[in-house]
Amino acid sequence: MINTIKVKAPAKINLTLDVKRRRNDGYHELKMIMQTIDICDELTITETGAADIELTLEGFPENLPKEDNLVYKAAKLMQETYSLPSGFSIHLKKEIPTAAGLGGGSSDCAATFLGINELFKLHLSKEELCDLGVTLGADVPFCIYRGTMLAEGIGEILTPLPTLTPLWIVLLKPEISVSTGEVYENLNLRYVYYHPNTKMAIDAIAHRDYVSLGQNLANVLETVTIDKHPILSDLKEFLLQSGALGALMSGSGPTVFGFFKTLGLFFTVIINNNWCVNFYAVKILRIIPS
């Protein structure tokens, strides 16, 4: 009998993203609210009995060497750390756009940990998986827990927040590429004059006051990415004029999102838009952390 498991890897958005300082180790001290949304990659992991790890990709535009892919790195780390008796093949089907600020790579990495843990019945806790995951990426621990979280440190210190009701999230991804490393490298905190009011955003989430939450969406990385790509400011304004309760760039960009209680008005407006963007209408994905 072939032992196979399928695992979803959902995207994330940042409702707030604040950078407190640059640390001596080169990382940045962060404080941000992260939220899982309902656009997912899918991994199919199959135990093969051979020693090797095979990785195949579907819908993945980059021709990266297998060894540089976070899915392969996570699988190799699990295999070596826990002396797994068999190798496996992994097929990654991409739906989350790459280099978009939506955490697709980190989520794929997290799903690999979760899938192998279940496939081989290792019974590792999410905390144990996070200890491994953070060695591969600061967002990986959030992508293991998922849901609505306050993330601090480099992103690995997580505090669960009240779950949001299912709102419509509209994503606009222009056909430009953004390097997260370059965005952080070019961030100058001396010229950041507005920081997120994280406490007010958390209060708005707790009271499900989405008007207030929309008013408190903020991301300091916009000072870098929007300065280089002004179209992102136009897209945010377009979302707000279309009825969004709030609009923001996610992560280091270039995807911008707006959240809506209804999409009726939005759809009547977007048909007149001729920007070269990829459009996604998804929902908040309510995953209760365990």
Side-chain angles (χ1 to χ4, degrees), residues 80-108:
E80 293 176 349
T81 301
Y82 297 104
S83 302
L84 299 181
S86 168
F88 26 83
S89 67
I90 304 174
H91 181 73
L92 170 59
K93 181 180 180 182
K94 289 294 292 181
E95 296 291 344
I96 304 170
T98 58
L102 298 173
S106 294
S107 190
D108 295 340

Side-chain angles (χ1 to χ4, degrees), residues 60-198:
F60 201 89
E62 299 177 31
N63 188 24
L64 287 174
K66 177 178 71 172
E67 291 75 13
D68 292 338
N69 191 288
L70 280 173
V71 169
Y72 179 85
K73 290 182 178 181
K76 191 70 173 175
L77 184 57
M78 289 287 279
Q79 185 184 51
E80 293 176 349
T81 301
Y82 297 104
S83 302
L84 299 181
S86 168
F88 26 83
S89 67
I90 304 174
H91 181 73
L92 170 59
K93 181 180 180 182
K94 289 294 292 181
E95 296 291 344
I96 304 170
T98 58
L102 298 173
S106 294
S107 190
D108 295 340
C109 180
T112 305
F113 286 124
L114 292 166
I116 293 173
N117 184 41
E118 185 172 344
L119 186 67
F120 286 90
K121 297 179 172 56
L122 298 175
H123 305 295
L124 300 171
S125 67
K126 287 187 176 180
E127 184 177 355
E128 289 174 297
L129 293 176
C130 285
D131 288 341
L132 285 179
V134 75
T135 67
L136 296 181
D139 285 347
V140 175
F142 167 77
C143 293
I144 288 172
Y145 274 99
R146 307 173 181 175
T148 312
M149 292 274 186
L150 173 67
E152 298 176 276
I154 62 171
E156 86 286 14
I157 302 171
L158 300 172
T159 303
L161 298 176
T163 56
L164 293 169
T165 55
L167 296 164
W168 281 105
I169 302 294
V170 171
L171 307 174
L172 298 179
K173 161 66 169 67
E175 294 185 350
I176 55 178
S177 296
V178 171
S179 164
T180 297
E182 289 180 7
V183 170
Y184 276 101
E185 194 63 35
N186 287 286
L187 178 66
N188 189 334
L189 291 174
R190 289 180 296 177
Y191 299 109
V192 175
Y193 301 111
Y194 178 79
H195 290 266
N197 190 327
T198 308

